[in-house]
Amino acid sequence: MTILIRMEPDHQTVRDFLIAPAHQAQSALRMLNANNGVRLDAFLFASLDPVVEMARRESISAIP
């Protein structure tokens, strides 16, 4: 997994996060700019919540 932080022009404010599978990272880096095409939109997130959710531990007894 690759996580990139895209900043606003002021370089102080986070614009969004690109969370991409490792095998997509190189092509994502070449395409990332201010106005991305639909190919990157699936990897753009407003926060890191999806990563935090994936890292959360779950009790085995809670899995049906």
Side-chain angles (χ1 to χ4, degrees):
M1 179 184 313
T2 300
I3 300 172
L4 300 172
I5 302 169
R6 193 164 56 152
M7 304 298 289
E8 292 290 352
D10 65 5
H11 301 290
Q12 300 295 315
T13 309
V14 172
R15 179 175 178 171
D16 52 21
F17 300 90
L18 181 117
I19 305 171
H23 69 278
Q24 295 278 341
Q26 288 301 320
S27 61
L29 282 171
R30 287 190 301 272
M31 295 186 303
L32 193 61
N33 60 45
N35 297 308
N36 300 294
V38 71
R39 286 181 61 193
L40 282 184
D41 286 349
F43 301 123
L44 292 175
F45 295 87
S47 73
L48 291 176
D49 289 347
V51 176
V52 172
E53 185 63 27
M54 285 190 301
R56 192 180 70 162
R57 291 180 179 235
E58 187 69 43
S59 171
I60 293 176
S61 62
I63 299 174

